[in-house]
Amino acid sequence: MRILFVAATSFEVESLKLKVESQNNASNFEPSTLNFKLLITGVGMVATAYALGRELSKNQYDLVVNLGIAGSFDRSFALGDVVEITEDTLAELGAEDDEAFLPITQMGFGESAFKATESLYNFYKTANLKQATAITVNTVHGNEASIQKIQARLNAQIESMEGAAFFYACKEAGVACIQIRAVSNYVEKRNRDNWKIGLAVNNLNTFAAALIEELQIIP
């Protein structure tokens, strides 16, 4: 299998980055049943779509996995929880009609919601991750009024700056894709003292290492 891991920043996947470098630098390394690569795209949907589109136009993969930290609207997720995103929406893609928002689908100009094309269960049956829906934004929410407004409209559980763009690029390239996020904070008025970024990053990389081990045994 050829697996591409995708992350916005090296910081989010530091342990995985070291594992990939170790694989690539091993003097006795020979191609095996599993080959994996890490792509760092940069933050945001534009950087993600461009970098991933360019990579997928040059190379073929059996599976592409997006890894990153994220905020959660849903308080049933604990900080540090690792979740599988099944659907992600470009929350801002559309037009304002006075107080109403018209999504691009309603305007007839395209799509704004995209789904994973694979299930983690098919590759890692014992992972037991909770599943969630997400939105992708250019500006993360940190105002109570805007939080209530976006929740009334989309009722998402997770928020990131890349997820839907990742799904879109994979859909256009026709490649199987999964998105995994670790919850670093709740979506609320910005308060870094409440964040658990270190815990989220650690749990995300622990998951990635376990996934690689599981993929090694797939025939």
Side-chain angles (χ1 to χ4, degrees), residues 80-120:
D81 275 359
V82 180
V83 299
E84 178 184 8
I85 306 301
T86 58
E87 183 173 355
D88 208 318
T89 300
L90 295 166
E92 302 151 329
L93 190 58
E96 289 183 335
D97 183 8
D98 195 18
E99 292 298 316
F101 180 84
L102 303 177
I104 195 170
T105 49
Q106 189 174 333
M107 298 170 69
F109 294 141
E111 298 177 85
S112 58
F114 305 94
K115 294 182 179 182
T117 58
E118 263 294 356
S119 169
L120 176 63

Side-chain angles (χ1 to χ4, degrees), residues 52-196:
L52 183 54
R54 182 176 58 180
E55 177 67 26
L56 295 179
S57 71
K58 297 177 184 177
N59 300 292
Q60 292 186 331
Y61 296 94
D62 299 296
L63 179 66
V64 185
V65 182
N66 186 206
L67 298 171
I69 60 176
S72 178
F73 295 97
D74 189 340
R75 297 290 177 123
S76 72
F77 296 140
L79 296 183
D81 275 359
V82 180
V83 299
E84 178 184 8
I85 306 301
T86 58
E87 183 173 355
D88 208 318
T89 300
L90 295 166
E92 302 151 329
L93 190 58
E96 289 183 335
D97 183 8
D98 195 18
E99 292 298 316
F101 180 84
L102 303 177
I104 195 170
T105 49
Q106 189 174 333
M107 298 170 69
F109 294 141
E111 298 177 85
S112 58
F114 305 94
K115 294 182 179 182
T117 58
E118 263 294 356
S119 169
L120 176 63
Y121 180 81
N122 292 334
F123 300 94
Y124 190 179
K125 289 181 170 51
T126 59
N128 295 321
L129 297 190
K130 296 177 182 178
Q131 294 184 331
T133 60
I135 59 171
T136 299
V137 295
N138 284 305
T139 303
V140 295
H141 289 84
N143 172 275
E144 287 301 324
S146 66
I147 291 169
Q148 291 177 15
K149 192 171 183 179
I150 195 68
Q151 280 300 84
R153 180 160 65 87
L154 292 172
N155 193 32
Q157 295 169 285
I158 298 292
E159 175 181 76
S160 80
M161 301 180 76
E162 298 87 20
F166 165 81
F167 278 163
Y168 170 78
C170 290
K171 173 178 175 288
E172 291 298 300
V175 62
C177 63
I178 294 169
Q179 181 185 168
I180 305 296
R181 294 276 165 182
V183 177
S184 60
N185 61 280
Y186 292 120
V187 180
E188 59 187 0
K189 186 175 179 180
R190 193 173 179 85
N191 184 353
R192 292 182 66 91
D193 291 339
N194 291 342
W195 297 0
K196 298 292 183 183

Side-chain angles (χ1 to χ4, degrees), residues 6-10 12 39-49 51 161-162:
V6 179
T9 67
S10 296
E12 293 168 281
L39 174 68
I40 303 298
T41 63
V43 174
M45 60 188 82
V46 173
T48 297
M161 301 180 76
E162 298 87 20

